[in-house]
């Protein structure tokens, strides 16, 4: 394997309030400079995701989700297939993570393991800044990502 052992992809748009949770997580993790971990931003476009996670042992995607009923700030650890099956939650991106996985499988460009850390959004309208419940969840989202990295043997101590 020539690439990073793990890739953490923050999906979202920081100019749509809670959709900025992915970029916020990526910014915080980039500061840690974890060995063997590529931290990247994505708008959720499928081919961009494929390029980022190809050949990784573990890909962790962090994204906002819309849920009904909603519990803003709630964190879900899931897989893309499970996310697709939920009738009460959907990625905040029309095309994206659920579309990238089948395409990646067809092209032979998937990570060995893919985990989605989804955060329930309160608002996705235009504007800057996370809502209070999503901002409050940020440390727990970082901790969830670090737990996933540690699970595959990547040290995350500061």
């Amino acid at each position: 394997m020539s690439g990073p052992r793990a890739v953490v992809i923050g999906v979202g748009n920081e100019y749509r309030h809670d959709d900025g949770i992915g970029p916020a997580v990526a910014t915080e993790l980039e500061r840690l400079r974890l060995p063997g971990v590529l931290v990247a931003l994505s708008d959720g476009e499928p081919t961009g995701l494929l390029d980022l996670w190809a050949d990784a042992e573990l890909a962790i995607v962090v994204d906002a989700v819309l849920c009904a009923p909603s519990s803003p700030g709630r964190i879900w650890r899931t897989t893309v297939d499970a996310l697709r099956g939920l009738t009460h939650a959907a990625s905040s991106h029309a095309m994206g993570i659920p579309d990238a996985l089948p395409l990646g499988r067809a092209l032979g460009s998937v990570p060995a393991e893919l985990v989605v850390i989804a955060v329930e959004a309160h608002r996705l309208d235009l504007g800057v800044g996370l809502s209070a419940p999503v901002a409050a969840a940020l440390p727990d989202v970082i901790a969830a990502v670090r737990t996933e990295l540690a699970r595959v043997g990547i040290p995350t101590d500061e």
Side-chain angles (χ1 to χ4, degrees), residues 29-121:
L29 286 173
E30 187 63 33
R31 288 187 206 155
L32 299 177
R33 301 204 186 288
L34 301 171
V37 178
L38 170 68
V39 178
L41 298 174
S42 172
D43 62 3
E45 194 273 323
T47 57
L49 290 169
L50 296 183
D51 290 342
L52 289 170
W53 71 36
D55 301 323
E57 178 183 331
L58 171 65
I60 303 168
V61 177
V62 179
D63 195 10
V65 292
L66 297 171
C67 297
S70 178
S71 181
R74 183 187 314 172
I75 301 166
W76 299 69
R77 181 207 183 270
T78 187
T79 63
V80 172
D81 293 329
L83 198 67
R84 184 186 294 271
L86 293 175
T87 57
H88 64 282
S91 169
S92 58
H93 304 94
M95 284 188 58
I97 303 164
D99 301 296
L101 194 57
L103 179 61
R105 286 179 180 141
L107 297 173
S109 181
V110 292
E113 182 180 3
L114 175 61
V115 172
V116 176
I117 306 289
V119 182
E120 288 190 36

Side-chain angles (χ1 to χ4, degrees), residues 5 32-37 146 149-158:
R5 286 190 59 205
L32 299 177
R33 301 204 186 288
L34 301 171
V37 178
R146 291 176 78 159
L149 294 169
R151 185 177 53 78
V152 297
I154 296 174
T156 64
D157 297 334
E158 292 186 56

Side-chain angles (χ1 to χ4, degrees), residues 115-129:
V115 172
V116 176
I117 306 289
V119 182
E120 288 190 36
H122 175 66
R123 55 185 303 189
L124 298 173
D125 56 323
L126 288 175
V128 178

